[in-house]
């Protein structure tokens, strides 16, 4: 990915401003420890909440950067995962970037159709025979569905991390693919990239 693609969004300046505000809050907390006898735990909780919000905004910003050079359909992807999130329909979507993925994915059912939010949502509709696997997106097409991804071993035994999230991490550890996940239990959206999992904010994730 060309990093220049990330330099044109006003979101970057917004993130910098919000990070500076968090730094200022931390500095104030340090000063208050010398002058204030009150408990500062509430300050820390507020700072943590603000930092988590910044993290989600940053993930949203970089998701756009990571997707846009490899598919023109990222608005369709955004629409799809937001609708799925609202309905608590789980989903696992692989966006192929530069690396070939055949060696890492157990192939499912060939689709070979233009990516639209309605088609993507219908694949992950509960009860659809294809909804349990991963959809593979290559450029502007849904290449296949019901694909099986390798599971990450890093989080084995972690109850909060489901199979979809482990699969997303597993493929992202082996390739440069970006994998979007919608949690069936919570409706939360995240993406895996380079072996890390990032929550993204909604609505309007892209």
């Amino acid at each position: 990915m060309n990093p220049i693609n990330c330099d044109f969004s006003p979101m970057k300046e917004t993130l910098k401003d919000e990070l500076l505000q968090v730094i200022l809050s931390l500095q104030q907390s340090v000063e208050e420890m010398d002058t204030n006898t009150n408990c500062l735990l509430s300050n820390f909780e507020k700072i943590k909440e603000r930092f988590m919000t910044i993290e989600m905004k940053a993930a949203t910003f970089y998701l756009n950067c990571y997707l846009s050079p490899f598919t023109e359909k990222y608005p369709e992807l955004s629409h799809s995962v937001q609708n799925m999130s609202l309905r608590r329909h789980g989903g696992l979507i692989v966006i192929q970037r530069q690396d070939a993925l055949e060696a890492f994915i157990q192939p499912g059912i060939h689709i070979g159709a233009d990516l639209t939010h309605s088609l993507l949502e219908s694949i992950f509709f509960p009860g659809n025979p294809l909804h349990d696997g991963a959809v593979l997106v290559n450029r502007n097409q849904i290449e296949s569905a019901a694909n099986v991804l390798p599971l990450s071993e890093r989080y084995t035994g972690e109850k909060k991390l489901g199979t979809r999230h482990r699969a997303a991490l597993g493929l992202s550890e082996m390739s440069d693919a970006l994998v979007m996940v919608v949690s069936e239990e919570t409706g939360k959206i995240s993406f895996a990239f380079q072996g890390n999992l990032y929550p993204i904010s909604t609505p309007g994730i892209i």
Side-chain angles (χ1 to χ4, degrees):
M1 183 200 71
N2 186 344
I4 294 176
N5 290 329
C6 293
D7 289 340
F8 297 103
S9 172
M11 177 63 78
K12 197 165 202 176
E13 291 304 315
T14 300
L15 290 171
K16 287 167 64 177
D17 289 342
E18 292 188 7
L19 281 171
L20 288 172
Q21 290 175 18
V22 169
I23 292 171
L24 180 60
S25 296
L26 287 169
Q27 289 174 336
Q28 290 173 344
S29 294
V30 171
E31 293 171 3
E32 287 180 22
M33 290 181 74
D34 292 329
T35 61
N36 195 338
T37 58
N38 294 330
C39 179
L40 296 179
L41 289 179
S42 61
N43 291 13
F44 298 154
E45 187 64 28
K46 290 175 183 177
I47 291 170
K48 183 175 72 173
E49 290 174 1
R50 287 172 64 185
F51 192 80
M52 289 176 66
T53 300
I54 293 170
E55 180 188 21
M56 292 180 71
K57 287 182 179 179
T60 300
F61 168 63
Y62 285 106
L63 175 63
N64 187 349
C65 296
Y66 297 149
L67 284 180
S68 57
F70 296 96
T71 178
E72 297 172 358
K73 297 287 190 172
Y74 54 90
E76 295 285 333
L77 288 165
S78 173
H79 193 165
S80 299
V81 295
Q82 287 183 67
N83 286 342
M84 290 161 60
S85 173
L86 288 171
R87 297 170 185 148
R88 301 282 179 92
H89 292 175
L92 187 61
I93 305 165
V94 176
I95 296 90
Q96 184 169 342
R97 287 163 42 92
Q98 292 179 325
D99 292 347
L101 302 178
E102 291 84 356
F104 310 120
I105 295 179
Q106 183 177 329
I109 305 300
H110 177 71
I111 303 293
D114 286 342
L115 194 162
T116 65
H117 72 87
S118 56
L119 177 56
L120 197 53
E121 290 168 45
S122 68
I123 290 172
F124 289 112
F125 193 85
N128 187 315
L130 305 180
H131 88 283
D132 274 337
V135 160
L136 174 60
V137 172
N138 190 357
R139 295 296 175 182
N140 299 323
Q141 283 206 327
I142 296 177
E143 192 167 290
S144 56
N147 299 286
V148 178
L149 309 185
L151 299 182
S152 174
E153 296 298 329
R154 282 193 300 147
Y155 291 88
T156 300
E158 175 57 65
K159 294 180 181 178
K160 293 182 179 179
L161 201 65
T163 303
R164 283 193 179 97
H165 293 83
R166 288 181 61 205
L169 278 171
L171 184 62
S172 75
E173 290 169 350
M174 298 178 177
S175 71
D176 72 345
L178 187 147
V179 190
M180 300 181 72
V181 188
V182 182
S183 170
E184 191 172 352
E185 293 183 359
T186 66
K188 291 181 179 179
I189 305 168
S190 53
F191 73 90
F193 186 64
Q194 295 181 342
N196 292 297
L197 195 64
Y198 304 98
I200 57 180
S201 56
T202 55
I205 64 166
I206 299 177

